[in-house]
Amino acid sequence: MESISRISSLMEAARELTLDAAQATRGSRTSSRLLDRNQMRKLLDSRNDRDVLEGLRRVISTHPFFSSVVKNVASPNIEIKKLVYIYLIHHAEQEPDLALLSINTIQKSLSDANPLVRAMALKTMSGIRVPVISQIVSLAIKKGVADMSPVVRKAAALAIPKCHRLDPSQAPQLIDYLSTLIGDKQYFVAGAAVVAFLEVCPERIDLIHKHYRGLVRKIVDMDEWSQLGMLRLMRVYARKCFPRPKAGTAKQKMKDTASAEDFYSESKVEEADSSVITIDPDLRLFLNAIRPLLQSRNAGVVVAVTRCYIEIGTSEFVKLAVGPLVALMRGPQDIQQLALYNIVSVCLLWPSDFVKYATHFLVRATDSAPVWELKLEALTLIFPHSSPHIKSLILKELEHFSQGTNKALVQEAVRAIGRCAQSDATASPRCLKLLLSQITSLDGTLAAESLTVIRHLIQQDPSGHVGTVVRLAKNLDSATDPQARATIIWLVGEFSGLDGQDNIAPDVLRILLKDFGNESEAAKRQIVLLGAKVYLHHINRRTEAEKARAAEDDPPQVLEAHPIERLWDYLMLLGTSCGTAACHIDAPGTKASTAGTEPI
């Protein structure tokens, strides 16, 4: 009889295995088949764990079966318990009264022998967003804080911000629990506590004082999520509690770079030069502790370390972050954009550190608009600190993209050339020559943008760019874009008061009047303004000459009409006949009326 019962038990076990295998092979087919309400209740009310699991998997995203699901909260099967807890967290708000019926059972699970069950129970209680149970959740957290298992203590740390959101009046007790968990010896418990601290009471910096060094030593072992919270906390803590590191003497730099052999001799150097401001030892401990995080696989951690070095570190530490930041550019487009944004931020302060990585900032055809914009910005920042070879490479790259088909990229490339000319006086002639060669382009966008940049360069140093204006005037015949022609004419008018009788503005005006009727409306307006400026400067010169003769008691001379006066009369005649809006003036006003006018 014993052998028969043994055989039957083996057959039953084989049957169970066969059913499990069949269930696994047809899972995808059966899970997609919809069951009616009675069939679902039959699965959930079954005494077979496999049927209950199947029912729970089907209803995990719906709540009409809430009462049937809650019945299984006391199941000894841990897989069933997991699914029931997930269901409760998702749907307790729709059925708060039924959810409260499961609280007693979940509280009993807080004393389960399995730490995973205790952690799940604590997570579920804090996740049930029913304000009535906030006191019970707080007591459960208190019990979890004193638990022997670090898994449960971590669950307690994660439950604290949930309880605080549920009932902010529990803050005093929760802060006491946090002060205990932050000093936990397990790094993953301390990391979760730090993240909870940042949400519940970030202003309570006093809770960190006695745990500072322990937290700093644990940061390398924490997960990326906790590391980001730690870096954020320590950045704020260092700004409030440590003096800002300042540049020291040459002796101080020797101390900063001292090797392990010189460690014990450092105190003697400090005694000899006590006036030198050094980095606080605890701050240096943190800055050195986060150095390995620069090799993290998480781009956010690398960026957070860089921000710490920029805000609370020194240039020596920032140099350590340059390479890892550039390495992030090998990632996807969103990671590249994040890395480039921070690279540009660092370049604004320490551009020379990125010179050796100049080729990494060359624009690719697959780059998105935000990425190539940041790359061009980085190139212009490192340009004045680069070698002649790198400068030539950057300018060739910018010239290439300024002649492309992407109008936005063309505009940014031309502007980048202008920024290079502004930042490096030695390269300014080459940049200007490059811009002047583009104003005759058939691409109106390129020509107009090049002239805009040239105009800004000229306005920054008018006396040094008289020859540039002459070259622009010579290119008027080949400049076909209406806006480009209007800009050149405006620039000639701005310089019409220099060199007196030797100025080219009257000759340019004379040439433009020959084909005035065929000019664009924008160019006509600028020609009229050019004529007004030339005429006003002529009147001013004539008035000064008459005053000089009057001072010397010379008799007044009867002069014939000057050619400039004839040009002005002719221009008014042409403008009136062509109906130019700028000619609707009775007479040229004072200098203030025209000198500040820009191309429309």
Side-chain angles (χ1 to χ4, degrees):
M1 293 295 293
E2 181 179 355
S3 61
I4 294 175
S5 61
R6 185 178 179 183
I7 291 173
S8 62
S9 63
L10 290 175
M11 291 180 65
E12 182 66 23
R15 176 177 174 274
E16 293 290 333
L17 290 174
T18 304
L19 290 173
D20 289 340
Q23 182 71 21
T25 56
R26 70 187 185 196
S28 59
R29 183 174 64 255
T30 57
S31 59
S32 60
R33 183 168 56 88
L34 297 177
L35 300 178
D36 59 26
R37 184 179 294 269
N38 293 330
Q39 290 175 317
M40 293 295 296
R41 290 191 182 280
K42 183 178 180 181
L43 286 175
L44 294 172
D45 295 337
S46 173
R47 295 185 178 181
N48 190 317
D49 289 348
R50 186 174 54 254
D51 293 339
V52 175
L53 281 172
E54 176 63 21
L56 287 171
R57 291 191 183 101
R58 290 176 176 273
V59 304
I60 201 70
S61 59
T62 57
H63 70 276
F65 306 96
F66 196 92
S67 59
S68 300
V69 173
V70 171
K71 290 178 183 178
N72 297 283
V73 73
S75 173
N77 188 308
I78 191 170
E79 296 298 328
I80 292 178
K81 194 180 291 289
K82 282 181 183 179
L83 292 173
V84 172
Y85 284 168
I86 292 172
Y87 190 89
L88 280 171
I89 292 173
H90 279 81
H91 303 295
E93 287 183 286
Q94 284 81 13
E95 300 284 350
D97 295 333
L98 290 175
L100 293 175
L101 298 177
S102 63
I103 295 299
N104 290 334
T105 306
I106 297 174
Q107 279 186 295
K108 292 178 182 179
S109 298
L110 293 174
S111 302
D112 195 276
N114 189 340
L116 294 178
V117 174
R118 299 200 298 272
M120 284 193 305
L122 186 53
K123 178 182 177 181
T124 304
M125 285 190 67
S126 61
I128 296 176
R129 293 175 291 275
V130 180
V132 180
I133 64 171
S134 60
Q135 293 279 355
I136 300 175
V137 175
S138 180
L139 292 174
I141 293 173
K142 181 179 180 181
K143 187 175 182 180
V145 170
D147 199 283
M148 295 295 293
S149 172
V151 176
V152 181
R153 297 200 297 273
K154 179 181 179 181
L158 297 176
I160 288 175
K162 298 178 183 177
C163 183
H164 185 263
R165 290 194 294 267
L166 194 65
D167 185 7
S169 64
Q170 300 289 331
Q173 298 94 322
L174 298 178
I175 292 174
D176 290 339
Y177 304 153
L178 273 177
S179 63
T180 303
L181 292 172
I182 288 175
D184 199 281
K185 293 182 179 180
Q186 294 292 332
Y187 61 88
F188 54 87
V189 178
V194 166
V195 175
F197 171 86
L198 290 172
E199 180 173 344
V200 176
C201 53
E203 72 285 349
R204 291 291 305 274
I205 297 296
D206 57 292
L207 298 178
I208 308 298
H209 292 328
K210 59 182 178 180
H211 305 300
Y212 173 80
R213 294 180 182 176
L215 288 172
V216 168
R217 294 188 181 99
K218 295 186 187 84
I219 191 171
V220 177
D221 298 320
M222 294 179 181
D223 58 89
E224 291 94 341
W225 178 63
S226 299
Q227 285 172 350
L228 288 171
M230 273 288 297
L231 291 168
R232 176 184 164 196
L233 170 63
M234 291 304 171
R235 193 164 67 243
V236 175
Y237 184 88
R239 286 202 299 264
K240 291 186 176 181
C241 302
F242 297 129
R244 175 70 179 176
K246 297 180 181 179
T249 62
K251 187 181 292 186
Q252 174 61 24
K253 292 181 181 179
M254 291 175 61
K255 289 192 292 183
D256 289 344
T257 57
S259 62
E261 298 177 358
D262 300 327
F263 180 78
Y264 293 101
S265 62
E266 210 174 32
S267 58
K268 298 179 181 179
V269 179
E270 288 181 350
E271 291 175 1
D273 190 7
S274 59
S275 62
V276 174
I277 300 176
T278 61
I279 300 178
D280 188 280
D282 285 331
L283 177 57
R284 184 181 292 278
L285 175 68
F286 170 67
L287 295 176
N288 287 325
I290 63 177
R291 182 174 176 178
L293 300 185
L294 290 172
Q295 311 304 322
S296 174
R297 61 185 178 181
N298 189 302
V301 174
V302 177
V303 170
V305 173
T306 305
R307 302 310 304 177
C308 284
Y309 282 159
I310 292 173
E311 295 181 18
I312 61 177
T314 60
S315 59
E316 287 75 14
F317 285 102
V318 174
K319 289 180 180 179
L320 300 175
V322 171
L325 269 182
V326 175
L328 294 179
M329 293 176 60
R330 301 171 187 162
Q333 291 283 337
D334 55 341
I335 301 298
Q336 286 187 41
Q337 184 176 347
L338 172 67
L340 282 166
Y341 179 82
N342 288 274
I343 286 172
V344 170
S345 299
V346 179
C347 268
L348 292 171
L349 301 174
W350 297 280
S352 57
D353 295 335
F354 290 91
V355 170
K356 60 181 178 181
Y357 301 106
T359 55
H360 290 73
F361 305 127
L362 299 180
V363 180
R364 299 179 181 178
T366 56
D367 289 338
S368 61
V371 169
W372 56 251
E373 285 178 1
L374 292 168
K375 281 186 174 182
L376 292 180
E377 184 66 26
L379 287 175
T380 56
L381 288 173
I382 67 175
F383 181 83
H385 306 276
S386 304
S387 63
H389 170 70
I390 297 297
K391 289 180 181 179
S392 178
L393 177 64
I394 292 175
L395 288 178
K396 287 181 180 178
E397 186 77 4
L398 296 177
E399 180 183 8
H400 170 72
F401 285 105
S402 67
Q403 298 172 353
T405 56
N406 187 336
K407 290 188 177 181
L409 182 55
V410 168
Q411 291 178 344
E412 288 299 325
V414 173
R415 292 170 186 171
I417 294 173
R419 292 197 296 271
C420 291
Q422 292 176 354
S423 61
D424 189 357
T426 59
S428 182
R430 180 178 176 183
C431 295
L432 195 57
K433 181 180 179 181
L434 183 59
L435 292 170
L436 288 171
S437 65
Q438 294 174 339
I439 62 175
T440 59
S441 172
L442 297 177
D443 185 355
T445 303
L446 174 59
E449 195 63 40
S450 298
L451 278 168
T452 301
V453 174
I454 291 172
R455 189 188 73 191
H456 289 306
L457 292 175
I458 291 175
Q459 288 176 322
Q460 289 183 354
D461 184 18
S463 59
H465 287 91
V466 177
T468 304
V469 177
V470 175
R471 293 182 60 183
L472 286 172
K474 291 180 179 179
N475 286 319
L476 262 175
D477 292 337
S478 54
T480 57
D481 183 70
Q483 192 62 38
R485 289 181 63 83
T487 303
I488 294 175
I489 297 169
W490 179 82
L491 283 170
V492 172
E494 287 293 289
F495 284 78
S496 60
L498 299 179
D499 299 333
Q501 300 289 341
D502 297 329
N503 194 277
I504 64 167
D507 280 338
V508 173
L509 176 62
R510 177 180 57 81
I511 295 170
L512 290 172
L513 291 180
K514 292 180 180 180
D515 199 24
F516 182 82
N518 295 326
E519 296 284 354
S520 64
E521 188 66 25
K524 287 180 180 178
R525 294 174 183 173
Q526 296 307 319
I527 292 172
V528 173
L529 292 176
L530 172 61
K533 292 174 183 179
V534 170
Y535 184 57
L536 282 172
H537 288 302
H538 166 69
I539 292 175
N540 290 336
R541 286 193 295 269
R542 187 177 65 183
T543 303
E544 291 175 0
E546 290 176 354
K547 289 180 179 179
R549 283 195 299 271
E552 296 176 358
D553 295 330
D554 291 341
Q557 299 179 359
V558 180
L559 302 176
E560 297 182 358
H562 194 275
I564 292 179
E565 298 175 1
R566 296 176 182 176
L567 285 175
W568 172 252
D569 293 337
Y570 182 50
L571 174 60
M572 290 294 97
L573 182 62
L574 288 174
T576 304
S577 61
C578 294
T580 304
C583 292
H584 294 167
I585 52 178
D586 297 332
T590 60
K591 292 182 180 179
S593 65
T594 57
T597 307
E598 295 189 8
I600 298 174

